[in-house]
Amino acid sequence: MNAVPFSGCEYVERDIYSIWPGCLPVREIQRQDWHQECPGKLSRKTAHTLTNYFLFAVSVYRNILVTSIIPRFQYPVIMTLTDSQKAEVKTTMEAYAAAYKNKDILGLLAVFSPEICGFGSGPDEVVTGRDSFARQVQRDMSQATVNGVVFTDTQIFGDGRVAWLMTKSAISFSLPGEKMQTLQGRSTMVMRNTGSRWQIEQIHFSLPYGGQQAGQSFPGA
């Protein structure tokens, strides 16, 4: 046992089991010499009472930690958005689709965060911030006419002011002098509620890899 000074007196530590059911062992501080006087310090009775209160508080805290707090970290509660919040997220998606179709760059900038980041389907389509996003959108609009953007099979998740989603994305477009084509892609997005609206913070649009068939985890497997 280790002697520990406390208010000028000698105390010792020893392992005990708390009087609180189901608790882990705690350390109890006891006097080594109950007859030793401590001039100007706490009385023996007061020190003993405070020690008992302290040990009881520790035992209660540990009981709460073991039975309540730790299990929450091991098995976290899955949060989700309300139906109203999900409807707001879908409204933002629709505003994005309409602005993209109408070549409304200002409308797009209002929907996307200044810190927007993400990937497109092209090898050089990398967005890091509003400026690079604006350049990418201008390039898109200069090369083709977008006839429509349709989101289907959308799944929305979230927690508080943050939402994330996955959706199928069909983008119909026409190149000069050619027939309309459709990119059957997939998108993920992360949105944040600013307090007045939802803004898109991250976006990723991609196409299934043509060299990888259904049922294959790797091309040619």
Side-chain angles (χ1 to χ4, degrees):
M1 294 189 295
N2 301 321
V4 184
F6 181 75
S7 300
C9 301
E10 282 265 297
Y11 286 77
V12 294
E13 293 182 349
R14 65 186 180 88
D15 290 328
I16 67 164
Y17 283 93
S18 170
I19 59 174
W20 194 265
C23 290
L24 299 175
V26 298
R27 309 289 292 182
E28 182 184 21
I29 301 177
Q30 290 186 327
R31 291 187 56 82
Q32 188 177 43
D33 181 7
W34 290 101
H35 301 290
Q36 181 178 351
E37 297 296 332
C38 303
K41 304 296 181 180
L42 295 175
S43 67
R44 292 193 298 270
K45 182 178 180 181
T46 301
H48 183 61
T49 301
L50 291 176
T51 299
N52 286 337
Y53 277 127
F54 172 75
L55 292 173
F56 179 74
V58 169
S59 68
V60 172
Y61 173 76
R62 288 196 175 188
N63 189 57
I64 295 174
L65 184 68
V66 171
T67 62
S68 179
I69 298 178
I70 291 179
R72 285 179 64 87
F73 283 100
Q74 293 174 336
Y75 307 100
V77 178
I78 298 176
M79 303 297 291
T80 186
L81 301 180
T82 65
D83 291 340
S84 176
Q85 289 173 314
K86 289 181 179 181
E88 293 170 355
V89 168
K90 287 186 176 181
T91 298
T92 300
M93 296 173 64
E94 292 168 0
Y96 156 50
Y100 193 79
K101 175 184 176 182
N102 297 327
K103 298 187 176 184
D104 181 3
I105 295 180
L106 293 180
L108 282 171
L109 294 179
V111 171
F112 285 82
S113 165
E115 290 79 33
I116 179 63
C117 63
F119 293 101
S121 58
D124 62 343
E125 293 183 343
V126 181
V127 171
T128 55
R130 177 167 283 181
D131 290 343
S132 64
F133 174 73
R135 287 193 297 269
Q136 180 64 56
V137 170
Q138 288 172 339
R139 191 182 82 171
D140 294 351
M141 295 177 178
S142 68
Q143 294 182 2
T145 298
V146 176
N147 302 302
V149 178
V150 180
F151 299 114
T152 56
D153 296 337
T154 302
Q155 298 185 57
I156 302 173
F157 311 91
D159 186 359
R161 297 174 59 185
V162 178
W164 53 95
L165 62 93
M166 56 188 294
T167 183
K168 292 181 180 178
S169 308
I171 303 178
S172 301
F173 65 96
S174 299
L175 298 177
E178 297 187 14
K179 294 181 179 180
M180 186 176 69
Q181 304 177 58
T182 300
L183 291 177
Q184 298 289 352
R186 300 177 290 193
S187 296
T188 58
M189 302 182 201
V190 177
M191 297 190 193
R192 180 176 61 89
N193 192 322
T194 64
S196 60
R197 58 182 173 173
W198 290 89
Q199 279 192 327
I200 302 174
E201 298 282 347
Q202 188 272 340
I203 188 169
H204 185 187
F205 174 78
S206 62
L207 301 172
Y209 180 51
Q212 184 174 329
Q213 302 301 316
Q216 292 181 335
S217 296
F218 303 92

